[in-house]
Amino acid sequence: FVAGGIIHMENKKYKKVSIIVTISVLMFIVLTIAFSINNVVACKMMEKEVVKASGITMAEARAEIMGTVKIATMVSLTVGVIALVILAVFMEFLLVRPLKRTVAEIHRIARYDLTEGDMADIRVMRTRKDEIGSISRNIILMYDNLRDIVKRIDQTAGALSDNAGTLAEHTIQIKHSSDEINATMNDLSS
């Protein structure tokens, strides 16, 4: 919000689970449901063929196929869970952590803290060829520009202070000269 021309940023607490991990879990659930439906449909289609080819009853064929499907489903789910965990860890290190560090630096800069802070982490990420690298390069550019502006303001303030001192000295000299002229004029008029 804006108060007295100064923008104040909220320091929000971010959820532990990122949106990327949440989407990945939802995709895994949808794929699991789709795979299960596909297995059931495939079993129904295969039952009649197995009965014709092997000469066993429908119940025996169904039991044999369902046993195979259960094993295949369990193996698929196990592989899927392992893949999901690997994907979550991969995304945590390549996306979530860099984004959290970037957001922390943006909040620090937004609070007018232009000390170096954790800018070293951001400077390392600038070499990435993805969106994180692009964001990092722009944060560094913004940070460096803001520091340059503050440095220029500081230099200008110093020059103004020096000029104010010189102006005060000149004013004193002018007053002194004016007093001398005034005294001389009083002497001449008497």
Side-chain angles (χ1 to χ4, degrees), residues 12 22 40 44 56-57 74 79 81 96-97 120 127 140 145 152 157 159 168 183 189:
K12 295 182 179 179
T22 305
V40 170
K44 294 295 181 189
I56 59 176
T57 66
M74 289 310 219
V79 169
V81 167
V96 176
R97 284 187 183 182
T127 59
I140 292 166
N145 286 342
R152 287 182 188 176
S189 62

Side-chain angles (χ1 to χ4, degrees), residues 3-185:
I6 298 174
I7 299 173
H8 297 279
M9 301 291 289
E10 293 180 20
N11 191 4
K12 295 182 179 179
K13 297 285 183 188
Y14 291 94
K15 294 180 181 177
K16 227 21 172 168
V17 178
S18 75
I19 190 70
I20 297 167
V21 174
T22 305
I23 290 171
S24 298
V25 169
L26 290 175
M27 286 174 46
F28 175 74
I29 291 170
V30 168
L31 288 174
T32 302
I33 292 170
F35 181 72
S36 298
I37 291 170
N38 183 45
N39 283 344
V40 170
V41 170
C43 287
K44 294 295 181 189
M45 293 172 63
M46 289 175 40
E47 282 177 352
K48 292 179 184 175
E49 295 300 320
V50 170
V51 168
K52 287 180 191 175
S54 65
I56 59 176
T57 66
M58 184 67 87
E60 292 171 334
R62 184 173 293 136
E64 190 175 317
I65 291 172
M66 288 308 287
T68 304
V69 167
K70 284 180 185 178
I71 292 171
T73 301
M74 289 310 219
V75 168
S76 297
L77 287 175
T78 303
V79 169
V81 167
I82 291 169
L84 182 62
V85 168
I86 291 170
L87 178 65
V89 169
F90 182 73
M91 288 171 39
E92 174 70 22
F93 284 103
L94 287 180
L95 293 174
V96 176
R97 284 187 183 182
L99 283 174
K100 284 181 179 179
R101 285 195 306 256
T102 303
V103 167
E105 283 305 298
I106 290 170
H107 281 281
R108 186 181 59 76
I109 293 168
R111 290 187 310 269
Y112 307 108
D113 180 357
L114 296 179
T115 59
E116 191 62 25
D118 290 331
M119 284 302 291
D121 288 341
I122 303 298
R123 291 183 193 285
V124 168
M125 289 188 287
R126 76 175 169 220
T127 59
R128 290 177 59 156
K129 302 291 183 213
D130 58 5
E131 289 81 2
I132 303 276
S134 177
I135 291 169
S136 298
R137 287 187 293 278
N138 284 297
I139 288 172
I140 292 166
L141 179 64
M142 176 185 66
Y143 172 79
D144 291 343
N145 286 342
L146 287 172
R147 283 185 61 113
D148 187 48
I149 289 170
V150 169
K151 185 178 178 181
R152 287 182 188 176
I153 289 171
D154 187 48
Q155 290 171 346
T156 302
L160 283 174
S161 178
D162 291 344
N163 289 339
T166 304
L167 183 61
E169 289 174 15
H170 289 301
T171 303
I172 290 172
Q173 288 175 356
I174 290 172
K175 183 180 180 327
H176 187 298
S177 297
S178 175
D179 289 344
E180 285 180 10
I181 292 172
N182 195 20
T184 304
M185 292 295 279

